[in-house]
Amino acid sequence: MKESTARKLDFELPDLKAYWMPFTGNRLFKQNPRLIVRAKGMHCWTHDGKQLLDTIAGLWCCNAGHCHPKIVEAIQAQAETLDYATAFQLGHPKIFELANKLTAIAPDGFDYAFFVNSGSEAVDTALKMALAYHRIRGDGARTRMIGREKGYHGVGFGGISVGGISPNRKMFGAMLPGVDHLPHTHNLEHNAYSRGLPKWGVHLADELENIVALHDPSTIAAVIVEPIAGSAGVIIPPEGYLQRLRDICDKHGILLIFDEVICGFGRTGDNFAATRMGVTPDLITIAKGLTSGTVPMGAVLAKAQIYDTFMTGPEGAIEFFHGYTYSGHPLAAAAGCATLDVYKEEGLFERARSLEGYLEDGLHSLKGEPYVIDVRNFGLIGAVELEPIEGQPTKRAMALFGHCFDNGVIVRTTGDTVAFSPPLIIEKSHIDQIVESVRNALSAI
Ligand SMILES: Cc1ncc(COP(=O)(O)O)c(C=O)c1O
């Protein structure tokens, strides 16, 4: 990237009043707006011409880097060929093509893809699939869902019910009934500075046995977890933990859902976390990297046994009363096909795996810098946790965010954790830049 950080763009700020921004302090933002007006590869540019290294792939989604020419071309070509076709009782070729490409890289046995428009919709869809699956099999008392503390599954009522982040839940009433939560696995006393999967904590999966015993297995439909939790500040599962959940679910006839909205598409150095970690759930929710963030799209990947269970009523009858106007939208389908081609042609999942150790070493070199209380990583995911300022949680991480931003690097903070999930096209020199920028910020803030 030759563009200098000082390059001025010819861009006039619009009136900022009318837009109610999501997950944002609207009033503060509008006093000090940061607008992104352009992006390419590893970088994006603000309205006042600042060049920024994107260390979080937009929001864990632009895995192929920004504005990849092949993906841009595919979207353009699709927009002038077929703008929209309803997904109900009609179809269009691209979405079938995408389902085929997607199931080809999914874990063995995941032969079906149901398309939606976001991670939140994917989660709600998977929960509904689980309920309906049991009911079709004559097991309709299985209505309970088990999520996990600190889990993030989007913002639909299903997702916040099984999710475990209290500010996302507390304003919104009773949510779904019959939901329980596993304990989270974040523990610095035992696992600080783990490289890869932490060694301590497999026993935390056994709490599922207690929850199952409390409610009785016959009432439980599904367990949903993120293999690696992102939004609560990068929580990497202890060794053996996910397999233990799988075993307990199998023992009691409970479906296991992996929410891979951030873990899918190379983020863990493999197609999915399920393939990297060798644990196979029953349903997988995906979004984000599916189109490299270019056009909104999500999906639920289902095992053949689940799909087949639905295909048992009278022929011609609708088997699943669910779907969205924009399920399988042609632009998203075209973007998805091109994205999966780019991942394959450029070997980006393998690239992520090959850079994992470099990112790990770089981030762990921050151990001992001021305020750092943990560094953790897996695949192309990293996190540096800071000691909070007493009585002012999040303030220190926000200060670090501001310092990095002013110095040309976008990082993401959740609580007092700084998270990294760069595009998979990242170079070693970018990793060096990330580490040095965080190091400088830590001594400056
Ligand atoms: C694990 C997980 N599930 C679901 C979602 C929700 O996705 P969306 O924001 O596309 O609705 C997210 C978003 O970050 C996520 O990280």
Side-chain angles (χ1 to χ4, degrees):
M1 286 295 151
K2 289 265 171 353
E3 270 110 326
S4 92
T5 49
R7 179 170 178 261
K8 282 272 170 220
L9 296 183
D10 190 13
F11 189 90
E12 234 175 80
L13 269 187
D15 186 349
L16 303 179
K17 179 164 171 272
Y19 177 36
W20 187 345
M21 300 175 71
F23 276 122
T24 298
N26 276 253
R27 289 158 299 169
L28 190 61
F29 181 94
K30 289 173 188 181
Q31 283 165 35
N32 181 22
R34 296 182 171 114
L35 270 63
I36 305 294
V37 296
R38 194 166 69 84
K40 185 78 191 159
M42 284 297 300
H43 292 89
C44 43
W45 287 265
T46 62
H47 67 278
D48 50 1
K50 181 189 276 299
Q51 175 177 298
L52 295 162
L53 179 69
D54 180 3
T55 73
I56 49 169
L59 192 56
W60 304 73
C61 44
C62 306
N63 291 9
H66 290 279
C67 293
H68 193 291
K70 279 209 165 166
I71 305 171
V72 172
E73 251 172 57
I75 297 168
Q76 285 170 340
Q78 186 62 49
E80 58 189 25
T81 309
L82 174 68
D83 54 351
Y84 177 79
T86 174
F88 306 163
Q89 314 287 2
L90 283 177
H92 63 90
K94 272 282 167 208
I95 196 63
F96 288 92
E97 189 184 327
L98 180 58
N100 292 334
K101 283 182 192 283
L102 197 48
T103 52
I105 62 164
D108 284 348
F110 283 79
D111 295 341
Y112 297 93
F114 189 101
F115 289 99
V116 301
N117 308 290
S118 67
S120 301
E121 288 181 1
V123 166
D124 281 11
T125 300
L127 298 178
K128 287 172 81 173
M129 273 181 188
L131 290 172
Y133 164 82
H134 288 298
R135 192 181 145 120
I136 295 166
R137 288 160 43 100
D139 215 355
R142 287 188 183 266
T143 56
R144 288 184 189 278
M145 299 290 170
I146 314 296
R148 188 168 56 182
E149 294 166 0
K150 294 188 185 284
Y152 184 70
H153 300 291
V155 292
F157 272 101
I160 61 171
S161 304
V162 292
I165 299 181
S166 72
N168 294 351
R169 294 160 51 87
K170 71 177 180 192
M171 296 292 181
F172 308 116
M175 299 175 281
L176 280 190
V179 174
D180 213 333
H181 289 79
L182 285 159
H184 67 78
T185 65
H186 189 45
N187 187 307
L188 292 189
E189 195 190 326
H190 292 282
N191 287 334
Y193 301 103
S194 292
R195 290 172 177 249
L197 303 185
K199 301 268 180 280
W200 177 93
V202 61
H203 66 280
L204 295 168
D206 293 333
E207 184 56 29
L208 182 56
E209 283 285 14
N210 296 334
I211 295 173
V212 168
L214 174 68
H215 299 294
D216 196 82
S218 66
T219 70
I220 301 176
V223 170
I224 179 166
V225 290
E226 302 154 87
I228 295 175
S231 299
V234 178
I235 306 175
I236 299 164
E239 259 179 36
Y241 173 91
L242 293 172
Q243 185 60 49
R244 185 78 61 94
L245 288 185
R246 173 74 277 179
D247 294 344
I248 299 170
C249 286
D250 282 347
K251 182 170 153 200
H252 298 293
I254 298 166
L255 294 180
L256 179 61
I257 305 170
F258 276 0
D259 183 347
E260 295 227 26
V261 165
I262 60 164
C263 291
F265 305 104
R267 179 58 54 204
T268 65
D270 207 323
N271 301 7
F272 295 92
T275 44
R276 174 77 197 265
M277 301 195 190
V279 181
T280 309
D282 300 293
L283 293 165
I284 299 177
T285 53
I286 52 174
K288 299 202 186 232
L290 172 53
T291 58
S292 196
T294 53
V295 181
M297 181 177 241
V300 180
L301 299 176
K303 270 191 180 159
Q305 174 224 348
I306 292 185
Y307 178 84
D308 291 345
T309 300
F310 279 81
M311 301 301 131
T312 45
E315 205 157 306
I318 292 171
E319 295 106 353
F320 186 33
F321 279 82
H322 182 73
Y324 302 89
T325 298
Y326 300 119
S327 282
H329 191 281
L331 294 192
C337 286
T339 300
L340 297 192
D341 289 347
V342 166
Y343 290 152
K344 193 167 167 187
E345 287 161 17
E346 299 185 8
L348 291 184
F349 301 173
E350 295 77 15
R351 181 184 176 79
R353 183 72 161 263
S354 72
L355 286 168
E356 171 172 357
Y358 197 81
L359 180 68
E360 174 175 295
D361 288 343
L363 292 179
H364 280 266
S365 76
L366 295 167
K367 185 176 178 180
E369 297 292 348
Y371 318 120
V372 173
I373 56 172
D374 186 32
V375 179
R376 44 191 184 267
N377 67 285
F378 191 93
L380 277 192
I381 303 175
V384 176
E385 187 164 343
L386 306 182
E387 193 178 2
I389 299 173
E390 213 179 314
Q392 295 183 295
T394 76
K395 265 255 161 101
R396 183 162 278 143
M398 282 310 294
L400 184 138
F401 167 87
H403 192 278
C404 289
F405 189 92
D406 291 344
N407 288 282
V409 175
I410 304 182
V411 300
R412 170 140 181 91
T413 65
T414 39
D416 277 291
T417 297
V418 189
F420 307 93
S421 55
L424 313 181
I425 59 165
I426 192 167
E427 305 277 348
K428 286 183 174 172
S429 59
H430 298 129
I431 295 178
D432 296 342
Q433 189 187 347
I434 295 171
V435 173
E436 283 328 299
S437 144
V438 173
R439 198 186 306 283
N440 292 337
L442 287 168
S443 39
I445 56 177

